[in-house]
């Protein structure tokens, strides 16, 4: 009877984990018109934009809803933006303020099919938004942690079953 209850509890826990979490997440990788690589991780709500003139990381809750595609349409407010943008050989960090003017960091598409990293750069500000066109993209599927957790639980269950068989065999001997 105890074994049946344990088995049922284990089965319910495993079923709940599978039902409550997505089976996979996605990382979208865009090659920009100048060779930059823009990566968007929907599972973590993060991304990077790396190229000759930019090397930044960003995050924002809105990013989790990104759908991807070769011509995406989105507007995300970023909670964090770190890194540098190189302008005329000098690296500048992002800022939200330009004198008394303020605007949030954003990642958005333009009406010309480009992606705009909306920030001011430097203190004092020496440049504005970083805008590039998309030349290619790909999707990298990543298994969700719940699937890996289920695999781990299955291994644990197999280990307990093997241990129980050993104990029974030793008691019978």
């Amino acid at each position: 009877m105890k074994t049946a209850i344990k088995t049922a509890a284990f089965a319910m826990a495993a079923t709940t984990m599978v039902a409550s979490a997505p089976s996979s997440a996605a990382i979208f990788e865009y090659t920009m018109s100048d060779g930059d690589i823009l990566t968007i991780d929907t599972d973590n709500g993060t991304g990077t934009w790396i190229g000759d003139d930019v090397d930044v990381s960003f995050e924002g809750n809105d990013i989790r809803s990104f759908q991807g595609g070769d011509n995406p349409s989105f507007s995300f407010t970023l909670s964090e933006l770190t890194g540098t943008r190189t302008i005329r050989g000098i690296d500048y960090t992002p800022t939200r303020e330009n004198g008394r003017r303020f605007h949030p960091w954003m990642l958005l598409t333009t009406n010309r099919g480009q992606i705009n990293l909306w920030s001011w750069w430097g203190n004092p500000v020496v440049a504005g938004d970083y805008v590039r066109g998309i030349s290619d993209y790909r999707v990298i599927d990543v298994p969700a942690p719940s699937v890996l957790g289920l695999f781990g639980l299955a291994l644990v269950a197999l280990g307990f079953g093997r241990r129980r068989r050993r104990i029974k065999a030793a008691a019978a001997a």
Side-chain angles (χ1 to χ4, degrees), residues 18 21-27 42-43 139-147:
V18 169
S23 61
S24 68
I27 296 176
T42 58
D43 192 38
V139 179
I140 304 165
D141 287 325
V142 179
S146 65
V147 174

Side-chain angles (χ1 to χ4, degrees), residues 1 28 33-34 37 41 43 74 85 89 111 120 142 147 166:
M1 181 69 163
F28 296 90
S33 55
D34 65 347
I37 302 294
D41 181 340
D43 192 38
F74 61 87
R85 176 177 172 194
N111 57 4
W120 283 307
V142 179
V147 174
R166 276 195 211 150

Side-chain angles (χ1 to χ4, degrees), residues 13-155:
T15 302
T16 302
M17 285 177 61
V18 169
S20 67
S23 61
S24 68
I27 296 176
F28 296 90
E29 186 177 275
Y30 288 87
T31 302
M32 308 310 283
S33 55
D34 65 347
D36 290 359
I37 302 294
L38 171 65
T39 305
I40 297 175
D41 181 340
T42 58
D43 192 38
N44 294 314
T46 61
T48 60
W49 193 327
I50 300 172
D52 290 338
D53 298 326
V54 69
D55 185 358
V56 296
S57 297
F58 53 85
E59 64 182 72
N61 285 331
D62 298 343
I63 295 171
R64 295 176 191 277
S65 65
F66 183 65
Q67 298 297 308
D70 60 347
N71 189 20
S73 178
F74 61 87
S75 176
F76 303 136
T77 300
L78 304 175
S79 57
E80 291 292 327
L81 178 61
T82 58
T84 59
R85 176 177 172 194
T86 306
I87 303 164
R88 293 181 292 283
I90 300 172
D91 290 342
Y92 295 95
T93 57
T95 183
R96 295 177 179 172
E97 297 179 39
N98 184 1
R100 294 183 181 198
R101 296 175 50 205
F102 173 87
H103 77 66
W105 293 315
M106 297 187 75
L107 187 68
L108 56 131
T109 52
T110 69
N111 57 4
R112 294 184 308 226
Q114 298 173 312
I115 297 181
N116 181 355
L117 180 58
W118 195 25
S119 176
W120 283 307
W121 300 88
N123 186 9
V125 173
V126 296
D129 304 351
Y130 189 76
V131 183
R132 297 294 184 265
I134 298 170
S135 64
D136 195 18
Y137 92 103
R138 70 185 185 124
V139 179
I140 304 165
D141 287 325
V142 179
S146 65
V147 174
L148 298 175
L150 280 176
F151 181 70
L153 281 174
L155 289 176

